[in-house]
Amino acid sequence: MNSTYATDRLALAAAQTARLSSCTMKLGLVVVLTVLCPYTFAQSVNQKEVEAVYPDAYALYLNLHQSPELSGHETQTAGKLAGRLRSLGYDVTEHVGGEGVVAIMKNGAGPTVMLRTELDALPVEEKTGLPYASKVHTKDDSGRDVSAMHACGHDLHISSLVGTASVMAHSKDTWHGTLILIGQPAEETITGAKKMIEDGLLTGFPKPDVAVALHTSNEFPAGKVGVLSGYRYANADSVRITIFGKGGHASAPHTTIDPVVIGARTVLALQSITSREIKPGEAAVVTVGYFHAGTKNNIIPDQAELGLTVRSYKPEIRKQVLDAITRIAKAESLAGGAVREPLIEHYESTDAVYNDPALSQRLVPILESALGKQNVATAEPIMGSEDFSYFIAQGIPSFFYGLGGANAQRYDQAKAAGQSMPSNHSSLFAPDAQPALRTGITSEVAVLRNLLNGSAEDLRQNLAKTAGAR
Ligand SMILES: [Zn+2]
Ligand SMILES: [Zn+2]
């Protein structure tokens, strides 16, 4: 504990005592108070606590931003995270599901709460012009030379988690239970969460009662967070359709079965799923992202291949869309006289990220008191996907909130001009790291202190009230 911390802890203790005495005066009995005000200790985040850890967290951010590693290759990043958490007193296990890091701090009886950060960066060449812009070149999994950039802000998530880990480790009198911090690799390829679970994350370590994560974007200016109860990210399904025709000379179409024409009809018919089959008001996306066929203009090819991205929120809508894709693809091949049924491969998928309504209801006022009411906005559902859904699918009630990343001035200018700021994954994505990092740490500490309080049973009962409402 450094001297700044000692002063901060004294200030926090004094603030808590003040709250305690006012509560005591009203209720008379300390015993009654501990029953009726179970969260008295848990809700405050002293800004001095955040400032005490901020310089190290920001230095880590700058370091990570300049040393991005691609999905599945986060060796140095995981090592930096593990080393820092170990030095803070966490019990750290590395190489869980590849480069995954699991850090645990047990602090008496109480709930088990997991906070997650991702570790990976993207094959994007940074063009932000920032003095700390990434200049990293590496090879991707297919051996191609690529640039690497933290274009999704995972560096901000890691440094925020480390700052939070430090505040929590230095203030063990403000919470009780088991805190699990995880560094998840390979989020961008939606494989990391699954691998960590398969490698025993939820069986070899205490199983979380609740899981928490944040994600930065330019949806909100830095300093704000965005919260949404219910669906936040979509079910994502990748579908590949191979159409089997009969190739030949382009000048003699009557001797062939043209898979390009069947494919073209299939693409158009697929668009009628969302416009004609899905109930208006329900969300679904069917995009044909590629259509590969042929090599030369005077050859009718044997095959055509369509690559689809399919998005939805509700499980029944997901099923309806996927069933319709199969039906249409088969029917168009039949109509075009294809030599056999198309091959329909469902090769990648992840579930929707669903924010537990009771958890959202409980945590919104906590965030409002930590950040100011004006800094807690309502987020919108997004058709993007996130493999954090794997933890939710394991029955862990979850809270996934948005961390504002946009520079406030540029955000206002863009809004006034009717423009949007660079999105995640853009080579120009440049979060306003300093205010965003402070907000990340403040919000995470506030959320964790609120959840790591009372008994695990109370927390489960609190959340069970809305179970089944989904
Ligand atoms: Zn991303
Ligand atoms: Zn991301």
Side-chain angles (χ1 to χ4, degrees):
M1 184 180 284
N2 62 36
S3 57
T4 323
Y5 241 109
T7 320
D8 294 341
R9 300 298 310 122
L10 280 174
L12 181 64
Q16 284 168 349
T17 311
R19 269 196 308 281
L20 264 172
S21 13
S22 81
C23 214
T24 311
M25 276 188 282
K26 279 178 205 153
L27 297 171
L29 278 170
V30 175
V31 179
V32 175
L33 173 138
T34 53
V35 174
L36 296 183
C37 304
Y39 304 125
T40 303
F41 290 99
Q43 294 182 354
S44 98
V45 182
N46 183 331
Q47 275 313 299
K48 284 188 181 168
E49 294 179 285
V50 177
E51 291 309 317
V53 302
Y54 175 76
D56 280 350
Y58 186 60
L60 176 63
Y61 172 75
L62 295 178
N63 175 291
L64 293 169
H65 192 80
Q66 293 170 86
S67 48
E69 294 175 298
L70 298 182
S71 307
H73 303 278
E74 308 90 337
T75 318
Q76 307 289 330
T77 308
K80 288 171 197 170
L81 175 64
R84 276 169 176 79
L85 296 177
R86 202 170 274 129
S87 72
L88 287 167
Y90 288 79
D91 182 8
V92 178
T93 308
E94 292 178 76
H95 306 295
V96 179
E99 298 297 343
V101 176
V102 180
I104 297 182
M105 185 167 280
K106 289 188 175 165
N107 186 23
T112 299
V113 178
M114 182 175 95
L115 174 68
R116 171 266 214 168
T117 178
E118 322 88 313
L119 302 175
D120 53 338
L122 288 155
V124 172
E125 184 183 355
E126 179 157 0
K127 293 178 183 161
T128 58
L130 290 167
Y132 53 87
S134 165
K135 296 182 178 64
V136 171
H137 296 276
T138 184
K139 286 198 187 297
D140 68 9
D141 285 340
S142 61
R144 271 181 309 185
D145 288 315
V146 290
S147 300
M149 173 186 175
H150 267 295
C152 204
H154 298 177
D155 47 354
L156 194 53
H157 307 167
I158 301 167
S159 42
S160 179
L161 177 135
V162 168
T164 298
S166 184
V167 174
M168 296 302 280
H170 288 105
S171 61
K172 288 172 79 173
D173 54 335
T174 64
W175 59 278
H176 57 88
T178 300
L179 174 58
I180 305 181
L181 305 173
I182 67 162
Q184 183 212 302
E187 188 282 324
E188 296 292 356
T189 52
I190 54 171
T191 51
K194 187 163 178 264
K195 277 193 184 163
M196 286 189 84
I197 292 169
E198 286 169 355
D199 201 16
L201 173 66
L202 304 176
T203 49
F205 302 94
K207 184 166 179 183
D209 297 303
V210 168
V212 178
L214 54 67
H215 206 298
T216 193
S217 73
N218 284 335
E219 186 181 4
F220 300 107
K224 288 185 190 278
V225 295
V227 180
L228 178 69
S229 178
Y231 291 106
R232 167 68 167 160
Y233 292 104
N235 298 307
D237 296 280
S238 299
V239 181
R240 185 164 44 226
I241 301 172
T242 309
I243 296 160
F244 302 100
K246 186 177 147 200
H249 202 286
S251 67
H254 59 290
T255 66
T256 72
I257 295 164
D258 190 346
V260 175
V261 174
I262 299 173
R265 284 199 198 113
T266 306
V267 171
L268 290 178
L270 290 173
Q271 295 315 308
S272 66
I273 298 173
T274 52
S275 66
R276 300 290 83 187
E277 298 191 32
I278 299 301
K279 185 180 173 191
E282 298 289 356
V285 172
V286 178
T287 294
V288 179
Y290 71 81
F291 182 160
H292 293 162
T295 52
K296 200 167 181 295
N297 66 316
N298 63 355
I299 302 171
I300 290 171
D302 286 324
Q303 294 183 10
E305 187 179 302
L306 309 179
L308 279 65
T309 281
V310 183
R311 301 289 162 104
S312 56
Y313 291 120
K314 294 181 181 168
E316 60 270 26
I317 300 293
R318 180 188 211 173
K319 185 175 183 312
Q320 190 187 353
V321 174
L322 291 171
D323 286 352
I325 288 170
T326 302
R327 190 192 75 237
I328 288 169
K330 284 184 177 176
E332 289 296 344
S333 271
L334 184 68
V339 297
R340 60 175 187 270
E341 269 200 347
L343 176 65
I344 301 166
E345 296 164 286
H346 189 187
Y347 65 95
E348 231 171 38
S349 73
T350 189
D351 293 340
V353 170
Y354 182 80
N355 276 325
D356 185 276
L359 208 45
S360 302
Q361 202 178 4
R362 172 182 171 134
L363 293 172
V364 165
I366 301 303
L367 289 169
E368 287 177 346
S369 91
L371 302 171
K373 204 165 181 167
Q374 72 285 2
N375 290 324
V376 180
T378 302
E380 294 203 341
I382 303 173
M383 275 291 176
S385 63
E386 239 290 349
D387 72 353
F388 188 74
S389 59
Y390 279 90
F391 305 122
I392 302 173
Q394 297 296 314
I396 304 171
S398 295
F399 183 65
F400 192 112
Y401 64 102
L403 176 69
N407 174 280
Q409 207 182 339
R410 282 194 219 122
Y411 179 89
D412 289 342
Q413 284 167 352
K415 223 175 171 188
Q419 292 166 347
S420 50
M421 294 189 65
S423 64
N424 293 53
H425 295 202
S426 157
S427 59
L428 299 173
F429 183 68
D432 197 352
Q434 301 203 21
L437 181 55
R438 285 188 166 95
T439 307
I441 298 170
T442 306
S443 57
E444 285 177 347
V445 171
V447 164
L448 292 178
R449 278 191 181 146
N450 176 268
L451 295 171
L452 288 161
N453 214 293
S455 71
E457 191 48 39
D458 286 346
L459 180 57
R460 281 187 215 120
Q461 278 180 8
N462 178 220
L463 303 181
K465 280 183 207 156
T466 56
R470 184 173 176 172

